[in-house]
Amino acid sequence: LPPNLRVLATTATANNRVMNDLEKVLGPNLTIIKGDLSRNSLTLQTIKLEKQSERMAWISDRLKEINGSGIIYTLTVKDAKRLTNWLVSQGFKVGCYTGDEEPNVKLELERLLITNEIKALVATTALGMGYDKPDLSFVIHFQTPQSVVAYYQQVGRAGRALDTAYGVALSGK
């Protein structure tokens, strides 16, 4: 890049390998500012429940107790639809956000969550980078995420502007 061109690159999850690649691409005269990865407002928990039915019941029970709105991540579209249907049958206002939805439907689901008109979005990774709702009070993973980086990016959406938020990773068969 020309020496007079200013570039700002930001990320919450770049590891040392990525940082080294950026230095090779952008040049050695980088100013790198790193912050603390811990978030005092975010309480994390892992719970092992072998059966999906147990995890579905656990989520239903907890949604009654947790204030605010959030995101429940699933690994597959099939699981997102199944969990959404279950939660709706239990009386919850939730939406299903997957890659199968049309762009206008996705925008409406995002609006409903931002305006707190629904309790949660049950989502695949289709609800990913760039989505920002500072007052999300929880992120629940229905299954173990595919990687630590994916988990960190997704759970980090909770509690950005709250004193207390929750990240719960459920696991099982």
Side-chain angles (χ1 to χ4, degrees), residues 82-150:
R82 179 184 301 137
L83 182 55
T84 300
N85 290 337
W86 161 253
L87 292 173
V88 168
S89 78
Q90 298 303 299
F92 292 102
K93 284 185 163 184
V94 296
C96 186
Y97 192 108
T98 71
D100 287 354
E101 271 51 72
E102 295 294 324
N104 61 324
V105 172
K106 289 180 186 177
L107 285 173
E108 177 61 9
L109 289 168
E110 290 175 22
R111 185 194 70 75
L112 291 170
L113 186 61
I114 286 173
T115 58
N116 297 314
E117 294 177 54
I118 57 176
K119 183 68 174 179
L121 284 179
V122 179
T124 62
T125 57
L127 182 63
M129 300 298 281
Y131 183 75
D132 185 28
K133 179 179 176 9
D135 63 342
L136 274 179
S137 62
F138 63 90
V139 170
I140 298 171
H141 285 84
F142 186 60
Q143 298 112 336
T144 303
Q146 294 176 324
S147 71
V148 171
V149 171

Side-chain angles (χ1 to χ4, degrees), residues 6 28 41 43-44 56 67 70 82 99 106 146 148:
R6 300 205 182 269
S41 65
T43 300
L44 302 179
M56 292 167 77
N67 292 324
R82 179 184 301 137
K106 289 180 186 177
Q146 294 176 324
V148 171

Side-chain angles (χ1 to χ4, degrees), residues 1-172:
L1 296 173
N4 64 339
L5 181 63
R6 300 205 182 269
V7 176
L8 171 67
T10 62
T11 180
T13 56
N15 59 28
N16 289 336
R17 182 189 56 78
V18 172
M19 295 303 295
N20 291 335
D21 288 348
L22 286 171
E23 188 171 357
K24 287 176 187 171
V25 171
L26 299 175
N29 297 323
L30 299 177
T31 301
I32 298 172
I33 301 169
K34 290 185 179 181
D36 188 358
L37 293 179
S38 67
R39 301 251 308 278
N40 293 334
S41 65
L42 188 55
T43 300
L44 302 179
Q45 183 177 14
T46 59
I47 300 172
K48 186 167 188 168
L49 299 168
E50 286 300 321
K51 298 178 185 174
Q52 282 195 351
S53 59
E54 292 174 313
R55 284 178 261 153
M56 292 167 77
W58 185 93
I59 291 171
S60 178
D61 289 343
R62 291 318 168 279
L63 285 185
K64 296 171 190 167
E65 301 169 0
I66 299 174
N67 292 324
S69 58
I71 301 171
I72 304 166
Y73 280 104
T74 66
L75 293 178
T76 67
V77 172
K78 180 180 174 182
D79 286 333
K81 290 179 179 181
R82 179 184 301 137
L83 182 55
T84 300
N85 290 337
W86 161 253
L87 292 173
V88 168
S89 78
Q90 298 303 299
F92 292 102
K93 284 185 163 184
V94 296
C96 186
Y97 192 108
T98 71
D100 287 354
E101 271 51 72
E102 295 294 324
N104 61 324
V105 172
K106 289 180 186 177
L107 285 173
E108 177 61 9
L109 289 168
E110 290 175 22
R111 185 194 70 75
L112 291 170
L113 186 61
I114 286 173
T115 58
N116 297 314
E117 294 177 54
I118 57 176
K119 183 68 174 179
L121 284 179
V122 179
T124 62
T125 57
L127 182 63
M129 300 298 281
Y131 183 75
D132 185 28
K133 179 179 176 9
D135 63 342
L136 274 179
S137 62
F138 63 90
V139 170
I140 298 171
H141 285 84
F142 186 60
Q143 298 112 336
T144 303
Q146 294 176 324
S147 71
V148 171
V149 171
Y151 174 73
Y152 185 78
Q153 288 173 338
Q154 292 163 359
V155 77
R157 290 185 171 84
R160 292 178 178 170
L162 297 174
D163 291 335
T164 304
Y166 301 97
V168 180
L170 301 176
S171 66

